[in-house]
């Protein structure tokens, strides 16, 4: 039932790989460093490695079950650095809300939206997780440039971006692929307009919008946005 509802809302299987990877294919072969924030089952990792197997990938997944799945899936890939952690603008410990459809797990509590969305985001349990800040992570790991970062953190994109202040200010990220909601699906989340304004303050602009989804015929739900520095 849950998967049928999700497929109905999106109009496709969630397992389908976003076509933005294909659109960047000519550039991916020259990429060196990619970050995947909110890896879930690692489908993005698998897809981008098809075009550049020599990539250094840093992946972050807070849900233990998903982390273990990715760890086993890519056990032979020595260039993947996988971390059992959530990402935000702070560091420490936090509560991860485990929902009915696990891909909707979030550091934020779910909001009351409509019956279909609510079935997906209904909290079932919680886990205590480590939270890290990416500016600090990059500094500690000698990362001075990121070719691409994918952010899929279920309502927490704004805070992840705030935690990249140093990297964004220095234009040290070439592409950011960010999930953004138009409707408040998670409590107190920052929506598309606020994310766009934040990125504009760093002189980043929208390259393209992908996967535009509706909650119903009259209400935009969420999308994925590709950002890049202006004039680059």
């Amino acid at each position: 039932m849950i998967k049928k509802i999700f497929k109905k809302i999106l109009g496709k299987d969630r397992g389908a790989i976003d076509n933005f990877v294909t659109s960047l294919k000519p550039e991916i072969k020259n990429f060196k460093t990619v970050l995947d924030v909110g890896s879930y089952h690692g489908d993005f990792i698998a897809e981008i490695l098809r075009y550049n197997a020599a990539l250094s990938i840093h992946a972050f997944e807070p849900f233990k079950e998903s982390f273990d799945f990715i760890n086993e899936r890519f056990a032979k890939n020595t260039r993947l650095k996988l971390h059992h952690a959530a990402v935000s603008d702070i560091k420490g410990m936090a509560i991860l809300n485990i929902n009915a459809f696990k891909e909707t797990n979030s550091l934020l509590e779910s909001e009351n939206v409509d019956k279909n969305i609510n079935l997906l985001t209904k909290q079932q349990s919680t886990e205590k997780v480590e939270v890290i800040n990416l500016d600090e992570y990059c500094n500690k790991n000698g990362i001075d440039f990121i070719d691409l970062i994918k952010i899929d953190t279920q309502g927490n994109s704004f805070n992840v971006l705030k935690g990249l202040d140093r990297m964004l200010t220095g234009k040290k990220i070439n592409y950011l692929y960010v999930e953004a909601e138009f409707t408040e699906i998670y409590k107190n989340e920052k929506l598309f307009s606020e994310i766009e304004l934040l990125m504009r303050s760093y002189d980043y602009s929208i390259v393209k919008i992908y996967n535009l989804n509706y909650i119903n015929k009259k209400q935009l739900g969420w999308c994925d946005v590709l950002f890049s520095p202006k004039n680059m």
Side-chain angles (χ1 to χ4, degrees):
M1 173 64 78
I2 294 294
K3 289 184 178 180
K4 287 182 179 179
I5 291 171
F6 202 95
K7 185 176 180 180
K8 179 182 177 181
I9 293 171
L10 267 69
K12 65 174 185 177
D13 289 325
R14 181 61 175 177
I17 300 298
D18 296 322
N19 62 5
F20 93 99
V21 173
T22 303
S23 71
L24 290 179
K25 182 180 176 180
E27 297 180 63
I28 291 174
K29 64 182 180 181
N30 296 317
F31 285 0
K32 294 181 179 180
T33 303
V34 171
L35 271 62
D36 184 13
V37 182
S39 301
Y40 190 51
H41 283 169
D43 290 344
F44 166 76
I45 298 169
E47 183 68 7
I48 201 164
L49 284 173
R50 288 180 56 206
Y51 300 112
N52 186 344
L55 275 172
S56 175
I57 301 180
H58 302 254
F60 308 85
E61 174 52 51
F63 182 41
K64 184 62 165 60
E65 182 180 299
S66 295
F67 170 83
D68 290 341
F69 180 90
I70 301 169
N71 204 26
E72 182 175 348
R73 182 177 183 179
F74 298 99
K76 295 181 180 180
N77 190 316
T78 58
R79 298 188 64 81
L80 172 63
K81 296 177 177 61
L82 178 62
H83 302 275
H84 180 215
V87 176
S88 192
D89 57 336
I90 59 173
K91 58 177 292 187
M93 302 298 294
I95 297 299
L96 179 70
N97 297 285
I98 311 302
N99 299 330
F101 191 71
K102 300 302 183 288
E103 204 164 347
T104 71
N105 295 347
S106 177
L107 291 178
L108 306 178
E109 294 182 1
S110 301
E111 186 59 271
N112 180 26
V113 182
D114 76 355
K115 63 179 182 180
N116 287 332
I117 295 293
N118 292 349
L119 279 173
L120 298 173
T121 61
K122 183 179 180 180
Q123 187 196 82
Q124 292 189 327
S125 61
T126 62
E127 289 182 0
K128 193 172 184 179
V129 297
E130 180 186 6
V131 182
I132 66 171
N133 170 297
L134 287 181
D135 264 347
E136 184 173 316
Y137 177 85
C138 290
N139 186 51
K140 283 185 176 180
N141 289 274
I143 299 172
D144 55 13
F145 190 83
I146 299 169
D147 294 288
L148 169 65
I149 177 169
K150 187 213 82 179
I151 301 172
D152 186 358
T153 54
Q154 305 304 309
N156 202 44
S157 294
F158 188 90
N159 291 331
V160 174
L161 293 168
K162 282 179 62 181
L164 281 163
D165 176 73
R166 181 179 61 84
M167 297 292 284
L168 289 170
T169 299
K171 303 292 188 299
K172 299 296 184 180
I173 308 173
N174 192 17
Y175 288 110
L176 299 96
Y177 185 71
V178 183
E179 183 183 60
E181 280 81 21
F182 298 98
T183 298
E184 192 173 335
I185 298 174
Y186 301 93
K187 291 182 179 179
N188 302 315
E189 69 169 301
K190 301 292 187 181
L191 300 179
F192 174 92
S193 58
E194 295 162 291
I195 291 171
E196 191 275 332
L197 283 172
L198 177 67
M199 295 304 293
R200 199 190 308 175
S201 74
Y202 289 111
D203 207 27
Y204 277 71
S205 59
I206 294 174
V207 177
K208 190 172 182 179
I209 293 176
Y210 297 83
N211 308 321
L212 195 61
N213 293 285
Y214 289 80
I215 290 175
N216 54 54
K217 293 181 180 180
K218 296 182 179 180
Q219 186 177 7
L220 278 170
W222 64 94
C223 68
D224 297 304
V225 191
L226 186 64
F227 292 98
S228 188
K230 292 179 181 178
N231 304 318
M232 283 188 69

